[in-house]
Amino acid sequence: CDETVVSSSREPMHAPLHCWETAAQALGCPLTLRPPTSRWVIRLTPAEWAFSLVEHVHEAPRLPDGAARARGFDAADWSAIRVPCSWETAGFGRPIYTNTVYPFPVDPPNVPAEGNAVGTYQTSFSLPGAWAGRRTLLRFDGVDGAVTVWLNGREVGYSQDGKLPFEFDVTDACAAGEADRHTLSVQVVRFSDASYLEDQDQWWLSGIHRDVVVYSKPRAAAIADFYATTSLVEGGGGDGGSGGEPGGASWPGERGGEEGGGEGGGGEGGGGDGEADGGGGDGEA
């Protein structure tokens, strides 16, 4: 295990965003509600995916070599699992409860290969032709374990941090067009060096436990992140200022470069979609 590596090819983390189709739609949807459907978002869950679970790391399925690799794992004999769902609650493996001890021998940053379950998932999807020429991003809202992701047999990234959403730019790994079917393969190792940071009075559950979506953003420009900057008002009191007074919140807009995800960054839009590819009619400004 290399405890200095927590991700590979992962987009920078950012505030929750969405791909709105019009400014009115964005302004009319409370943040507490699930955003409505959008032509720029494909939800891969809830749905049944092919699934394989093995008890030891060395038993994990391997992708085939050669041309067959583009079709992903051979899942002909796999079970089906409803995603999102921790695999233990679906009847695969067993949940573990611990209070003050780890569920594996303590040897940081190492974890054992024996008794370290590996769950492998597979599904497929196609992209609308309207997505051609745009960026395509794949987002997982939460996966417990060390996750490796392939698209059409091509590795697109790796991630830890089981309770945080994470994204990969998959533009170059899949083409838009209804005729093209893309195979998404995901392999989750239950315990990793990150598990040493997660032990507490808890149940240990594994797998894709939150939603998975594919979404599209313009190549030219799109909101990647936003943040609030505040300051203290001398003398205090009140609600911290308003109407341009010191202490009121300012919204500088998107962050660039590594900090905010750069051009078109990860995230499903924002504001009035906040997209700047010359759209116009659909709220893309």
Side-chain angles (χ1 to χ4, degrees), residues 6 10 13 142-145 159-166 194 198:
V6 297
R10 187 174 70 183
M13 301 299 193
V143 182
D144 268 326
S159 183
Q160 296 174 184
D161 303 324
K163 298 298 189 292
L164 293 176
F166 58 92
E198 298 175 351

Side-chain angles (χ1 to χ4, degrees), residues 181-251:
R181 198 76 184 166
H182 304 292
T183 300
L184 172 62
S185 309
V186 182
Q187 194 162 82
V188 182
V189 181
R190 189 178 197 185
F191 301 126
S192 69
D193 50 19
S195 300
Y196 283 101
L197 304 178
E198 298 175 351
D199 188 51
Q200 54 184 307
D201 188 358
Q202 67 173 19
W203 284 99
W204 290 77
L205 300 171
S206 320
I208 305 174
H209 62 93
R210 293 178 182 157
D211 283 322
V212 183
V213 301
V214 182
Y215 68 93
S216 173
K217 300 298 291 183
R219 282 184 180 273
I223 293 176
D225 200 0
F226 66 88
Y227 62 98
T229 301
T230 64
S231 59
L232 297 176
V233 178
E234 186 175 353
D239 61 0
S242 61
E245 294 292 329
S250 62
W251 300 89

Side-chain angles (χ1 to χ4, degrees), residues 15 23 25 33 55-56 85 97 119 134 138 154 165 173 175 217 255:
Q25 185 187 69
L33 298 181
E55 293 185 8
H56 312 290
C85 178
Y97 174 80
R134 297 167 59 96
L138 171 66
R154 172 179 171 180
K217 300 298 291 183
R255 290 189 259 181

Side-chain angles (χ1 to χ4, degrees), residues 69-269:
R69 187 180 181 89
R71 296 192 292 272
F73 293 99
D74 181 359
D77 297 327
W78 290 12
S79 302
I81 190 171
R82 188 75 173 171
V83 180
C85 178
S86 299
W87 69 55
E88 293 88 354
T89 62
F92 296 92
R94 62 185 181 90
I96 299 174
Y97 174 80
T98 61
N99 187 357
T100 61
V101 298
Y102 286 97
F104 47 79
V106 176
D107 180 28
N110 302 304
V111 292
E114 295 293 319
N116 191 2
V118 179
T120 308
Y121 301 77
Q122 195 155 272
T123 190
S124 64
F125 62 91
S126 59
L127 301 179
W131 289 27
R134 297 167 59 96
R135 293 184 73 206
T136 302
L137 295 108
L138 171 66
R139 189 185 77 219
F140 294 81
D141 284 342
V143 182
D144 268 326
V147 191
T148 304
V149 180
W150 298 267
L151 199 52
N152 301 325
R154 172 179 171 180
E155 184 173 333
V156 297
Y158 169 82
S159 183
Q160 296 174 184
D161 303 324
K163 298 298 189 292
L164 293 176
F166 58 92
E167 301 174 337
F168 303 109
D169 187 328
V170 296
T171 307
D172 296 333
C174 57
E178 296 288 355
D180 296 309
R181 198 76 184 166
H182 304 292
T183 300
L184 172 62
S185 309
V186 182
Q187 194 162 82
V188 182
V189 181
R190 189 178 197 185
F191 301 126
S192 69
D193 50 19
S195 300
Y196 283 101
L197 304 178
E198 298 175 351
D199 188 51
Q200 54 184 307
D201 188 358
Q202 67 173 19
W203 284 99
W204 290 77
L205 300 171
S206 320
I208 305 174
H209 62 93
R210 293 178 182 157
D211 283 322
V212 183
V213 301
V214 182
Y215 68 93
S216 173
K217 300 298 291 183
R219 282 184 180 273
I223 293 176
D225 200 0
F226 66 88
Y227 62 98
T229 301
T230 64
S231 59
L232 297 176
V233 178
E234 186 175 353
D239 61 0
S242 61
E245 294 292 329
S250 62
W251 300 89
E254 62 182 293
R255 290 189 259 181
E258 286 295 321
E259 185 179 13
E263 177 186 314
E268 291 188 22

